[in-house]
Amino acid sequence: MTIQDEFHFIDKIKQKNNRHTLLVEGIGDDAAVYQTKNDYLEIVCADTMVEGVHFLKDASSPKDIGFKAVAVNISDVAAMGGIPKYYLVTIAVPKSWSEEELVELYTGMDEIAEVYHMDLIGGDTVSTSDKLVITVTVIGEVKRNRQRLRRDARPGDIVFVTGTIGDSAAGLQILLGNLSVNDEKDRSFLVNRHKRPSPQVKAGQILSSINRVSLNDISDGLASELNELCEASCVKMVIEKDKIPLSDSIRSLNSNQLDEWILYGGEDFELVGTVSPSLFDQLQKQCNEEGICLTVIGHVEAGHSEVILLDDGNETKLHKSGFNHFK
Ligand code: ADP
Ligand code: MG
């Protein structure tokens, strides 16, 4: 894209109206300016998606790609117990992407931004030779002392997850043509879980309403996220495989890859964490009232950092690494 194009383009993707009243200056000046609130901490995170690595242009529409690029960052804010507010987008654009496709990309981003009440407040546009690279930065807030950290798991806690696990990995296999699913409803459910994840901001809010919860979002796979919690908190976890919540759609596949998807698949963007057992019932009730499923999958013990999986009476150690694949 040329420089003249760039200004024309930015004009097209700019929001017509801002959603936040504390935003003083959005897109258009050298930098965005917004006011902060007392008693809140600012949260900021960024994630990059590279064409051919994190998405395939043939398999997902520009809208879906944009939606997901913002969703994965919202998920990180949710995992801190925060609320997302603003986002910035940097794109490195190759010749293979038309301006129309880029506008679609931003339409997908705005779709999810509208749901979570966020404003696009800036970014950068550069050209590149080969593949599209998109970096989204999200800014959010959390009430002071309500930030949810990985290092807060304690022996005696129970381990919980939100939602169902493994759907996104199964959806990816469908998209890649490695898996055929007869039932159209199951197929579209799983593909949608991959293309349009639902970051768990509401669950994060409920989980930040009490004193101590350790929390992480599931981007790289349950095994990896559990290990991260254990490492950060210097504790051991015991997970019961048959307690891990599965969707009816993934169950119906009867696949021998099920364990792979559940443990190492990733990109479900659900939350995983730990809490004192005495507080779990109350949290679960609050989640249920909001239509969120909170499920106990194991417990925390004192010991060196490791994750043990109980499966039919057998104990195995769960390692971080999963499988290499196009996500
Ligand atoms: P500067 O040269 O001062 O960095 P730019 O000309 O790059 O400014 O950008 C003009 C405005 O448009 C700024 O507010 C910037 O944040 C925004 N912007 C530029 N590129 C993008 C993009 N790809 N997505 C969203 N906003 C962008
Ligand atoms: Mg610039």
Side-chain angles (χ1 to χ4, degrees), residues 6-7 10 13 27-30 89 91 106 122-125:
E6 188 185 320
F7 292 121
I10 291 168
I13 54 126
I27 287 181
D29 216 304
D30 295 311
V89 180
I91 42 172
Y106 277 78
D124 201 16
T125 314

Side-chain angles (χ1 to χ4, degrees), residues 204-236:
Q205 288 303 287
I206 295 169
L207 293 163
S208 75
S209 66
I210 58 171
N211 241 354
R212 180 186 59 80
V213 165
S214 73
L215 205 57
N216 203 355
D217 71 325
I218 305 181
S219 52
D220 295 332
L222 186 59
S224 176
E225 314 303 345
L226 290 168
N227 271 288
E228 282 176 357
L229 286 166
C230 286
E231 281 166 23
S233 300
C234 302
V235 293
K236 172 183 171 179

Side-chain angles (χ1 to χ4, degrees), residues 3 6-7 9-11 13-14 25-32 87-93 106 109 120-126 135:
I3 291 296
E6 188 185 320
F7 292 121
F9 169 69
I10 291 168
D11 224 37
I13 54 126
K14 215 173 134 171
E25 201 63 43
I27 287 181
D29 216 304
D30 295 311
Y87 67 113
L88 299 98
V89 180
T90 297
I91 42 172
V93 187
Y106 277 78
M109 291 194 270
L120 174 62
I121 61 167
D124 201 16
T125 314
V126 296
T135 301

Side-chain angles (χ1 to χ4, degrees), residues 44-254:
V44 58
C45 60
D47 249 309
T48 298
M49 283 174 39
V50 179
E51 183 180 347
V53 179
H54 301 93
F55 63 87
L56 302 168
K57 209 179 168 191
D58 307 338
S60 295
S61 69
K63 256 193 212 174
D64 288 336
I65 296 163
F67 185 101
K68 189 159 172 178
V70 176
V72 303
N73 283 284
I74 297 176
S75 178
D76 280 324
V77 173
M80 298 303 287
I83 292 181
K85 292 190 304 184
Y86 306 117
Y87 67 113
L88 299 98
V89 180
T90 297
I91 42 172
V93 187
K95 289 213 162 63
S96 54
W97 280 69
S98 69
E99 186 165 323
E100 200 181 3
E101 286 171 324
L102 291 175
V103 170
E104 284 287 286
L105 190 79
Y106 277 78
T107 304
M109 291 194 270
D110 190 59
E111 268 177 39
I112 185 159
E114 190 176 12
V115 173
Y116 290 88
H117 195 70
M118 297 163 70
D119 285 315
L120 174 62
I121 61 167
D124 201 16
T125 314
V126 296
S127 59
T128 185
S129 54
D130 193 21
K131 303 287 186 198
L132 185 90
V133 180
I134 172 168
T135 301
V136 175
T137 305
V138 166
I139 296 164
E141 67 186 14
V142 62
K143 227 175 178 170
R144 197 176 292 277
N145 297 326
R146 293 299 181 186
Q147 62 272 25
R148 302 288 85 154
L149 306 180
R150 294 176 185 180
R151 61 174 150 90
D152 282 338
R154 301 282 177 271
D157 278 1
I158 54 92
V159 182
F160 62 80
V161 292
T162 63
T164 56
I165 308 301
D167 301 325
S168 174
L172 174 66
Q173 292 311 312
I174 297 170
L175 277 177
L176 294 176
N178 299 334
L179 181 68
S180 67
V181 178
N182 295 328
D183 188 296
E184 182 46 37
K185 259 188 18 219
D186 290 332
R187 195 197 124 85
S188 66
F189 170 81
L190 294 167
V191 167
N192 206 49
R193 288 276 285 161
H194 182 74
K195 285 186 173 174
R196 297 211 161 210
S198 307
Q200 296 297 307
V201 174
K202 188 79 219 178
Q205 288 303 287
I206 295 169
L207 293 163
S208 75
S209 66
I210 58 171
N211 241 354
R212 180 186 59 80
V213 165
S214 73
L215 205 57
N216 203 355
D217 71 325
I218 305 181
S219 52
D220 295 332
L222 186 59
S224 176
E225 314 303 345
L226 290 168
N227 271 288
E228 282 176 357
L229 286 166
C230 286
E231 281 166 23
S233 300
C234 302
V235 293
K236 172 183 171 179
M237 276 180 190
V238 179
I239 303 299
E240 295 171 59
K241 205 186 89 181
D242 61 1
K243 291 196 174 165
I244 299 174
L246 305 180
S247 66
D248 292 340
S249 296
I250 208 171
R251 264 185 217 284
S252 74
L253 300 180
N254 264 322

Side-chain angles (χ1 to χ4, degrees), residues 5-53:
D5 282 337
E6 188 185 320
F7 292 121
H8 178 65
F9 169 69
I10 291 168
D11 224 37
K12 274 196 186 167
I13 54 126
K14 215 173 134 171
Q15 284 175 199
K16 302 288 166 276
N17 299 298
N18 289 329
R19 298 176 177 125
H20 283 276
T21 49
L22 292 183
L23 181 57
V24 177
E25 201 63 43
I27 287 181
D29 216 304
D30 295 311
V33 182
Y34 61 85
Q35 205 179 316
T36 56
K37 288 189 221 156
N38 282 338
D39 290 329
Y40 278 80
L41 303 173
E42 298 278 305
I43 301 175
V44 58
C45 60
D47 249 309
T48 298
M49 283 174 39
V50 179
E51 183 180 347
V53 179

